[in-house]
Amino acid sequence: MKTKRSIILGALCLIALNAFAQKPSKKDEVITIDTDKGTMRFILFDETPKHKANFIKLAKDKFYNGLLFHRVIDDFMIQGGDPESRNAKPDAMLGRGDNGYKVPAEFNGKLFHQKGALAAARDNNPAKESSGCQFYIVEGRKWSKADLEKQSARAARKLTDAQKKVYETVGGTPHLDGAYSVFGQLIDGMDVLDKIASVEKDERDRPEKDISMKVSVKKMKKKKITRKYGWKYEA
């Protein structure tokens, strides 16, 4: 039988472990995507832990290396991560490949489809679960107040005034908010995103010339990330 003292000690240990686990890290992972159009770098959000852990694991496993950005739409987004795109023939139908599982949806009101947002692709499953591997990067466009109101009405959640300002001044794809899980943000290489989005493509939105990727992960001090890329972490 447990003594009162052992129960108290056990409870104190659990409290200490929880406090340690919740202590914010001074480092973060920077995701790098290299292409022949240039390099893009991203941070992934702690508010979407399942998506963050999944993407980091796939990157470390070199899952994405050699895959294509198989669907690009100027003023909208670029999409990649289909495992069937590796060494795909020019006439291959792409976009339906997967890695055997889905990731539960992770929606957060602070995360939205501004330009440079990294988000998970998905099929039409009712739970809005994400593809285990396919993702897209938002290019979008800037919106007038009138057009933004129409776009906002299509979104699955209400936009804040601050988010509306970003859509008006920076750009994005507001009608996707609340429907797809945003889990990261481009912090370096916005010009590369624009280059990829504007390439020549066929009738299925696949680039005429293949754009393959190489994805890597590097852990860096948050202060260095802020200093080097201008990304600001919440206190």
Side-chain angles (χ1 to χ4, degrees), residues 8 26 30 33 50 60 65 70 82 97 101 108 124 127 138-139 142 145-147 150 174 189 199 212 218:
I8 293 173
K26 293 183 179 180
V30 174
I33 300 181
K50 295 182 178 69
K60 287 183 175 179
N65 293 356
H70 64 270
D82 180 351
Y101 63 85
N108 185 297
N124 291 323
V138 173
E139 184 192 31
K142 297 177 184 178
K145 289 184 182 297
D147 286 341
K150 296 176 184 178
V199 300
S212 64
K218 183 178 181 180

Side-chain angles (χ1 to χ4, degrees), residues 29-215:
E29 289 85 359
V30 174
I31 302 294
T32 298
I33 300 181
D34 287 306
T35 74
D36 63 358
K37 299 295 182 184
T39 298
M40 297 177 284
R41 294 182 177 85
F42 302 80
I43 58 92
L44 306 183
F45 298 127
D46 290 334
E47 292 89 346
T48 53
K50 295 182 178 69
H51 285 77
K52 181 172 184 174
N54 181 64
F55 198 91
I56 289 173
K57 182 183 185 303
L58 292 178
K60 287 183 175 179
D61 290 345
K62 304 186 186 323
F63 172 89
Y64 288 115
N65 293 356
L67 301 189
L68 304 180
F69 281 103
H70 64 270
R71 182 174 178 236
V72 303
I73 303 176
D74 203 15
D75 291 337
F76 185 37
M77 60 90 220
I78 64 175
Q79 183 172 336
D82 180 351
E84 295 179 1
S85 68
R86 184 180 283 108
N87 302 318
K89 294 180 179 180
D91 60 347
M93 179 71 72
L94 300 176
R96 298 177 182 176
D98 62 49
N99 59 345
Y101 63 85
K102 289 182 170 60
V103 180
E106 292 181 299
F107 299 131
N108 185 297
K110 296 190 300 181
L111 311 179
F112 61 110
H113 284 78
Q114 63 180 299
K115 185 172 184 178
L118 176 64
R122 65 171 176 82
D123 57 22
N124 291 323
N125 71 89
K128 298 182 180 178
E129 293 178 313
S130 301
S131 163
C133 55
Q134 290 201 44
F135 64 91
Y136 61 93
I137 306 164
V138 173
E139 184 192 31
R141 66 178 180 84
K142 297 177 184 178
W143 299 88
S144 67
K145 289 184 182 297
D147 286 341
L148 182 57
E149 287 303 317
K150 296 176 184 178
Q151 289 292 308
S152 299
R154 296 173 59 192
R157 67 170 181 237
K158 187 176 180 180
L159 303 178
T160 67
D161 289 340
Q163 289 169 348
K164 289 179 181 179
K165 185 175 181 180
V166 171
Y167 281 132
E168 291 170 10
T169 59
V170 178
T173 55
H175 71 279
L176 298 181
D177 284 334
Y180 295 80
S181 296
V182 173
F183 64 95
Q185 179 65 33
L186 178 65
I187 59 173
D188 182 52
M190 199 71 79
D191 60 321
V192 179
L193 168 62
D194 291 335
K195 286 179 186 177
I196 295 174
S198 63
V199 300
E200 293 294 322
K201 58 194 179 181
D202 63 20
E203 66 279 2
R204 292 172 295 183
D205 296 318
R206 177 176 171 179
E208 293 283 1
K209 181 181 177 182
D210 286 347
I211 301 173
S212 64
M213 67 182 80
K214 181 180 179 182
V215 183

